[in-house]
Amino acid sequence: NAIGVDEGSSSKTAVKWGRSKVIKKAKGAYRSCIDSGTIDDLSEEFPITSSGTQWAGVTDRVMGGVSSGTLSREDFHGRLSNVLRAN
């Protein structure tokens, strides 16, 4: 039981390994993913998204469960992807 999420507001400061980076949403980020077919074009360094938010993995441990998981950016069947693995 694990999910990956890309939620949050635009124009915020993303922090990765103690470094801050101001992120602005790309113009295409305002288009619906239903129209564009793209949730994240992977143009920013992981875990930052092209829409100016950060990817995060969440398991049922937040509710007292025992699941665990990882979220990483890697090659998946020949395509650069955000890969969520649950244990």
Side-chain angles (χ1 to χ4, degrees), residues 2-30:
I3 60 169
V5 295
D6 167 19
E7 295 289 333
S9 60
S10 64
S11 301
K12 66 184 217 175
T13 302
V15 178
K16 182 178 178 186
W17 298 308
R19 298 182 327 204
S20 295
K21 179 180 180 183
V22 175
I23 300 295
K24 300 270 185 190
K25 280 191 171 190
K27 195 175 215 177
Y30 292 97

mmCIF file of all heavy atoms in Angstrom, residues 2-30:
data_model
loop_
_atom_site.group_PDB
_atom_site.id
_atom_site.type_symbol
_atom_site.label_atom_id
_atom_site.label_comp_id
_atom_site.label_asym_id
_atom_site.label_seq_id
_atom_site.Cartn_x
_atom_site.Cartn_y
_atom_site.Cartn_z
ATOM 1 N N ALA A 2 1.232 1.706 -1.170
ATOM 2 C CA ALA A 2 2.063 2.906 -1.281
ATOM 3 C C ALA A 2 1.579 3.711 -2.470
ATOM 4 O O ALA A 2 1.094 3.164 -3.452
ATOM 5 C CB ALA A 2 3.523 2.535 -1.461
ATOM 6 N N ILE A 3 1.683 5.024 -2.376
ATOM 7 C CA ILE A 3 1.304 5.894 -3.483
ATOM 8 C C ILE A 3 2.373 6.946 -3.683
ATOM 9 O O ILE A 3 3.114 7.289 -2.768
ATOM 10 C CB ILE A 3 -0.057 6.588 -3.238
ATOM 11 C CG1 ILE A 3 -0.012 7.449 -1.973
ATOM 12 C CG2 ILE A 3 -1.177 5.587 -3.165
ATOM 13 C CD1 ILE A 3 -1.216 8.346 -1.816
ATOM 14 N N GLY A 4 2.477 7.463 -4.885
ATOM 15 C CA GLY A 4 3.348 8.596 -5.187
ATOM 16 C C GLY A 4 2.461 9.799 -5.451
ATOM 17 O O GLY A 4 1.426 9.689 -6.099
ATOM 18 N N VAL A 5 2.838 10.947 -4.922
ATOM 19 C CA VAL A 5 2.012 12.132 -5.081
ATOM 20 C C VAL A 5 2.835 13.305 -5.597
ATOM 21 O O VAL A 5 4.021 13.407 -5.357
ATOM 22 C CB VAL A 5 1.323 12.534 -3.753
ATOM 23 C CG1 VAL A 5 0.338 11.487 -3.320
ATOM 24 C CG2 VAL A 5 2.337 12.790 -2.662
ATOM 25 N N ASP A 6 2.189 14.175 -6.319
ATOM 26 C CA ASP A 6 2.750 15.434 -6.798
ATOM 27 C C ASP A 6 1.719 16.499 -6.461
ATOM 28 O O ASP A 6 0.886 16.848 -7.269
ATOM 29 C CB ASP A 6 2.998 15.358 -8.307
ATOM 30 C CG ASP A 6 3.280 16.721 -8.929
ATOM 31 O OD1 ASP A 6 3.640 17.638 -8.174
ATOM 32 O OD2 ASP A 6 3.114 16.863 -10.142
ATOM 33 N N GLU A 7 1.739 16.970 -5.237
ATOM 34 C CA GLU A 7 0.768 17.943 -4.775
ATOM 35 C C GLU A 7 1.490 19.155 -4.209
ATOM 36 O O GLU A 7 2.568 19.041 -3.671
ATOM 37 C CB GLU A 7 -0.128 17.355 -3.679
ATOM 38 C CG GLU A 7 -1.006 16.233 -4.144
ATOM 39 C CD GLU A 7 -2.123 16.701 -5.055
ATOM 40 O OE1 GLU A 7 -2.547 17.860 -4.953
ATOM 41 O OE2 GLU A 7 -2.563 15.901 -5.876
ATOM 42 N N GLY A 8 0.867 20.286 -4.299
ATOM 43 C CA GLY A 8 1.429 21.483 -3.691
ATOM 44 C C GLY A 8 1.178 22.705 -4.543
ATOM 45 O O GLY A 8 0.663 22.625 -5.648
ATOM 46 N N SER A 9 1.560 23.834 -4.000
ATOM 47 C CA SER A 9 1.337 25.099 -4.707
ATOM 48 C C SER A 9 2.504 25.413 -5.626
ATOM 49 O O SER A 9 3.582 24.854 -5.514
ATOM 50 C CB SER A 9 1.159 26.227 -3.686
ATOM 51 O OG SER A 9 2.331 26.331 -2.901
ATOM 52 N N SER A 10 2.282 26.357 -6.507
ATOM 53 C CA SER A 10 3.334 26.778 -7.427
ATOM 54 C C SER A 10 4.225 27.804 -6.764
ATOM 55 O O SER A 10 3.926 28.340 -5.715
ATOM 56 C CB SER A 10 2.713 27.372 -8.691
ATOM 57 O OG SER A 10 2.009 28.545 -8.345
ATOM 58 N N SER A 11 5.333 28.118 -7.418
ATOM 59 C CA SER A 11 6.268 29.159 -6.989
ATOM 60 C C SER A 11 6.673 29.002 -5.532
ATOM 61 O O SER A 11 6.560 29.905 -4.735
ATOM 62 C CB SER A 11 5.663 30.542 -7.219
ATOM 63 O OG SER A 11 5.354 30.723 -8.560
ATOM 64 N N LYS A 12 7.160 27.822 -5.191
ATOM 65 C CA LYS A 12 7.608 27.609 -3.831
ATOM 66 C C LYS A 12 9.086 27.265 -3.828
ATOM 67 O O LYS A 12 9.695 27.096 -4.868
ATOM 68 C CB LYS A 12 6.801 26.522 -3.148
ATOM 69 C CG LYS A 12 6.981 25.135 -3.721
ATOM 70 C CD LYS A 12 6.062 24.189 -3.008
ATOM 71 C CE LYS A 12 6.725 22.847 -2.832
ATOM 72 N NZ LYS A 12 5.937 21.933 -2.060
ATOM 73 N N THR A 13 9.657 27.179 -2.665
ATOM 74 C CA THR A 13 11.054 26.806 -2.542
ATOM 75 C C THR A 13 11.141 25.326 -2.262
ATOM 76 O O THR A 13 10.575 24.833 -1.296
ATOM 77 C CB THR A 13 11.726 27.599 -1.406
ATOM 78 O OG1 THR A 13 11.597 28.994 -1.681
ATOM 79 C CG2 THR A 13 13.192 27.244 -1.299
ATOM 80 N N ALA A 14 11.828 24.616 -3.126
ATOM 81 C CA ALA A 14 12.028 23.186 -2.943
ATOM 82 C C ALA A 14 13.380 22.980 -2.270
ATOM 83 O O ALA A 14 14.341 23.689 -2.555
ATOM 84 C CB ALA A 14 12.000 22.485 -4.294
ATOM 85 N N VAL A 15 13.460 22.029 -1.380
ATOM 86 C CA VAL A 15 14.701 21.760 -0.663
ATOM 87 C C VAL A 15 15.117 20.327 -0.931
ATOM 88 O O VAL A 15 14.333 19.402 -0.781
ATOM 89 C CB VAL A 15 14.530 21.981 0.854
ATOM 90 C CG1 VAL A 15 15.825 21.651 1.580
ATOM 91 C CG2 VAL A 15 14.097 23.397 1.145
ATOM 92 N N LYS A 16 16.368 20.149 -1.351
ATOM 93 C CA LYS A 16 16.913 18.826 -1.578
ATOM 94 C C LYS A 16 18.323 18.805 -1.018
ATOM 95 O O LYS A 16 19.134 19.634 -1.382
ATOM 96 C CB LYS A 16 16.925 18.494 -3.063
ATOM 97 C CG LYS A 16 17.451 17.106 -3.339
ATOM 98 C CD LYS A 16 17.419 16.785 -4.807
ATOM 99 C CE LYS A 16 17.992 15.401 -5.025
ATOM 100 N NZ LYS A 16 18.129 15.078 -6.405
ATOM 101 N N TRP A 17 18.592 17.880 -0.151
ATOM 102 C CA TRP A 17 19.905 17.721 0.465
ATOM 103 C C TRP A 17 20.433 19.035 1.033
ATOM 104 O O TRP A 17 21.581 19.402 0.861
ATOM 105 C CB TRP A 17 20.902 17.120 -0.517
ATOM 106 C CG TRP A 17 20.509 15.753 -0.957
ATOM 107 C CD1 TRP A 17 20.192 14.690 -0.172
ATOM 108 C CD2 TRP A 17 20.354 15.296 -2.293
ATOM 109 N NE1 TRP A 17 19.856 13.605 -0.921
ATOM 110 C CE2 TRP A 17 19.957 13.935 -2.234
ATOM 111 C CE3 TRP A 17 20.534 15.876 -3.534
ATOM 112 C CZ2 TRP A 17 19.731 13.190 -3.357
ATOM 113 C CZ3 TRP A 17 20.300 15.122 -4.646
ATOM 114 C CH2 TRP A 17 19.906 13.794 -4.553
ATOM 115 N N GLY A 18 19.545 19.775 1.699
ATOM 116 C CA GLY A 18 19.951 20.999 2.369
ATOM 117 C C GLY A 18 20.113 22.205 1.465
ATOM 118 O O GLY A 18 20.444 23.282 1.922
ATOM 119 N N ARG A 19 19.871 22.054 0.162
ATOM 120 C CA ARG A 19 19.981 23.176 -0.774
ATOM 121 C C ARG A 19 18.594 23.627 -1.172
ATOM 122 O O ARG A 19 17.741 22.818 -1.503
ATOM 123 C CB ARG A 19 20.750 22.771 -2.036
ATOM 124 C CG ARG A 19 22.164 22.352 -1.773
ATOM 125 C CD ARG A 19 22.874 22.015 -3.064
ATOM 126 N NE ARG A 19 21.961 21.443 -4.041
ATOM 127 C CZ ARG A 19 22.328 20.662 -5.026
ATOM 128 N NH1 ARG A 19 23.567 20.325 -5.167
ATOM 129 N NH2 ARG A 19 21.444 20.196 -5.882
ATOM 130 N N SER A 20 18.377 24.938 -1.176
ATOM 131 C CA SER A 20 17.078 25.490 -1.572
ATOM 132 C C SER A 20 17.119 25.918 -3.021
ATOM 133 O O SER A 20 18.134 26.395 -3.516
ATOM 134 C CB SER A 20 16.729 26.701 -0.707
ATOM 135 O OG SER A 20 16.561 26.305 0.625
ATOM 136 N N LYS A 21 16.002 25.762 -3.699
ATOM 137 C CA LYS A 21 15.883 26.175 -5.091
ATOM 138 C C LYS A 21 14.473 26.690 -5.305
ATOM 139 O O LYS A 21 13.514 25.981 -5.019
ATOM 140 C CB LYS A 21 16.152 24.976 -6.012
ATOM 141 C CG LYS A 21 16.029 25.297 -7.486
ATOM 142 C CD LYS A 21 16.319 24.064 -8.342
ATOM 143 C CE LYS A 21 16.190 24.370 -9.802
ATOM 144 N NZ LYS A 21 16.396 23.203 -10.653
ATOM 145 N N VAL A 22 14.340 27.942 -5.762
ATOM 146 C CA VAL A 22 13.024 28.484 -6.047
ATOM 147 C C VAL A 22 12.554 27.879 -7.357
ATOM 148 O O VAL A 22 13.247 27.899 -8.365
ATOM 149 C CB VAL A 22 13.044 30.018 -6.144
ATOM 150 C CG1 VAL A 22 11.679 30.554 -6.559
ATOM 151 C CG2 VAL A 22 13.475 30.625 -4.814
ATOM 152 N N ILE A 23 11.369 27.312 -7.323
ATOM 153 C CA ILE A 23 10.810 26.627 -8.481
ATOM 154 C C ILE A 23 9.592 27.397 -8.964
ATOM 155 O O ILE A 23 8.712 27.738 -8.189
ATOM 156 C CB ILE A 23 10.372 25.188 -8.110
ATOM 157 C CG1 ILE A 23 11.571 24.389 -7.607
ATOM 158 C CG2 ILE A 23 9.705 24.503 -9.274
ATOM 159 C CD1 ILE A 23 12.628 24.167 -8.640
ATOM 160 N N LYS A 24 9.558 27.678 -10.230
ATOM 161 C CA LYS A 24 8.388 28.289 -10.862
ATOM 162 C C LYS A 24 7.755 27.239 -11.761
ATOM 163 O O LYS A 24 8.445 26.473 -12.409
ATOM 164 C CB LYS A 24 8.811 29.491 -11.713
ATOM 165 C CG LYS A 24 9.500 30.583 -10.930
ATOM 166 C CD LYS A 24 8.501 31.550 -10.424
ATOM 167 C CE LYS A 24 9.236 32.695 -9.755
ATOM 168 N NZ LYS A 24 8.384 33.565 -9.048
ATOM 169 N N LYS A 25 6.449 27.211 -11.792
ATOM 170 C CA LYS A 25 5.766 26.262 -12.666
ATOM 171 C C LYS A 25 6.077 26.575 -14.123
ATOM 172 O O LYS A 25 6.047 27.722 -14.544
ATOM 173 C CB LYS A 25 4.257 26.323 -12.459
ATOM 174 C CG LYS A 25 3.776 25.583 -11.255
ATOM 175 C CD LYS A 25 2.266 25.469 -11.275
ATOM 176 C CE LYS A 25 1.807 24.548 -10.180
ATOM 177 N NZ LYS A 25 0.400 24.226 -10.289
ATOM 178 N N ALA A 26 6.343 25.533 -14.870
ATOM 179 C CA ALA A 26 6.508 25.680 -16.311
ATOM 180 C C ALA A 26 5.159 26.042 -16.915
ATOM 181 O O ALA A 26 4.103 25.658 -16.388
ATOM 182 C CB ALA A 26 7.028 24.373 -16.911
ATOM 183 N N LYS A 27 5.173 26.773 -18.012
ATOM 184 C CA LYS A 27 3.920 27.185 -18.644
ATOM 185 C C LYS A 27 3.011 25.989 -18.933
ATOM 186 O O LYS A 27 1.807 26.035 -18.713
ATOM 187 C CB LYS A 27 4.236 27.938 -19.933
ATOM 188 C CG LYS A 27 3.089 28.718 -20.484
ATOM 189 C CD LYS A 27 3.538 29.532 -21.689
ATOM 190 C CE LYS A 27 2.791 30.829 -21.710
ATOM 191 N NZ LYS A 27 3.200 31.697 -22.794
ATOM 192 N N GLY A 28 3.600 24.898 -19.389
ATOM 193 C CA GLY A 28 2.822 23.704 -19.693
ATOM 194 C C GLY A 28 2.223 23.042 -18.462
ATOM 195 O O GLY A 28 1.306 22.229 -18.571
ATOM 196 N N ALA A 29 2.724 23.386 -17.262
ATOM 197 C CA ALA A 29 2.211 22.770 -16.036
ATOM 198 C C ALA A 29 0.791 23.219 -15.722
ATOM 199 O O ALA A 29 0.103 22.578 -14.946
ATOM 200 C CB ALA A 29 3.129 23.094 -14.862
ATOM 201 N N TYR A 30 0.364 24.313 -16.310
ATOM 202 C CA TYR A 30 -0.991 24.797 -16.056
ATOM 203 C C TYR A 30 -2.030 24.102 -16.931
ATOM 204 O O TYR A 30 -3.206 24.234 -16.716
ATOM 205 C CB TYR A 30 -1.065 26.317 -16.258
ATOM 206 C CG TYR A 30 -0.295 27.052 -15.200
ATOM 207 C CD1 TYR A 30 0.991 27.493 -15.429
ATOM 208 C CD2 TYR A 30 -0.861 27.288 -13.950
ATOM 209 C CE1 TYR A 30 1.703 28.165 -14.440
ATOM 210 C CE2 TYR A 30 -0.158 27.956 -12.964
ATOM 211 C CZ TYR A 30 1.121 28.393 -13.217
ATOM 212 O OH TYR A 30 1.821 29.046 -12.240
#
